[in-house]
Amino acid sequence: MEPGEVVGLLIGSLCLLLVIGLPLSIPLYALIVGFRRRAASQQLLAQREPQLAHLLQVNTEVTQHPGPTGLVHGSVAYAADFPSRWATGWRNLVGGHATSLHEQVDLARRLATVRMLEHAAAQEALGVANIRIETSHIDMSSGSRGRQSLVIDLLVYGTALLPARDAGRARPPAPTPARP
């Protein structure tokens, strides 16, 4: 082989790599990052949920609570990861159950619930009753640049069962927890 042929072969290989390799590597990178992000969120929730398990989560009215009550809430606007958006897009074409979408909604619900329980814990609540979940928006549309996005907006709220106040002395209100 002559040096000119070697240079031509190298340039051709580089062009082939750019034309085929780069478009294939970007979705692969997005898949890896998406799965890592989902795993990190699940690990964070696995650490935070047991710390708040002592708070009562009852979905019926508590009539015998002697102390005051208050409203606690947690909300989240969760943008789903690339693997879920990709799988849901294909499910829209072929039909069937979008398992990845349900996983993302469940992850958003758990995150909003943890935020509500942290709000209750900051107020030194004994528990939370009458928990409600409001899904205000699930949107899968193309963004301004033509990219598909999936945003889940959730609000979780409930009645915080606060401890009875000391005789004649009111407890100062606890500050609202900062969001991470």
Side-chain angles (χ1 to χ4, degrees):
M1 264 190 171
E2 293 184 24
E5 292 176 355
V6 172
V7 171
L9 185 61
L10 287 175
I11 291 175
S13 298
L14 184 60
C15 289
L16 184 64
L17 180 66
L18 286 175
V19 169
I20 295 175
L22 189 61
L24 291 177
S25 65
I26 292 173
L28 180 63
Y29 174 76
L31 281 170
I32 292 169
V33 169
F35 283 128
R36 282 188 173 179
R37 177 179 167 240
R38 185 185 308 173
S41 295
Q42 289 172 341
Q43 183 180 15
L44 178 71
L45 286 171
Q47 292 171 355
R48 290 165 67 185
E49 285 173 332
Q51 295 171 353
L52 301 166
H54 67 282
L55 293 174
L56 180 66
Q57 294 185 36
V58 181
N59 204 20
T60 59
E61 188 155 341
V62 179
T63 57
Q64 292 125 2
H65 179 65
T69 59
L71 178 69
V72 289
H73 59 85
S75 62
V76 66
Y78 188 81
D81 54 27
F82 176 77
S84 295
R85 292 192 321 258
W86 184 78
T88 303
W90 277 105
R91 282 290 173 196
N92 285 338
L93 288 175
V94 298
H97 185 66
T99 305
S100 59
L101 177 61
H102 290 281
E103 289 174 4
Q104 295 299 301
V105 172
D106 183 56
L107 194 60
R109 179 196 51 80
R110 287 174 59 200
L111 188 58
T113 303
V114 163
R115 288 181 179 173
M116 179 200 59
L117 293 176
E118 286 174 343
H119 188 199
Q123 293 183 8
E124 299 175 1
L126 302 173
V128 179
N130 302 322
I131 297 170
R132 300 290 182 258
I133 300 173
E134 297 288 329
T135 305
S136 61
H137 191 68
I138 297 179
D139 183 29
M140 185 158 183
S141 61
S142 295
S144 61
R145 296 182 183 164
R147 288 183 287 178
Q148 201 173 39
S149 64
L150 176 62
V151 179
I152 305 159
D153 293 335
L154 284 171
L155 171 67
V156 177
Y157 60 94
T159 304
L161 307 174
L162 302 172
R165 297 182 179 165
D166 294 340
R169 246 186 336 174
R171 180 172 56 95
T176 310
R179 292 212 171 126

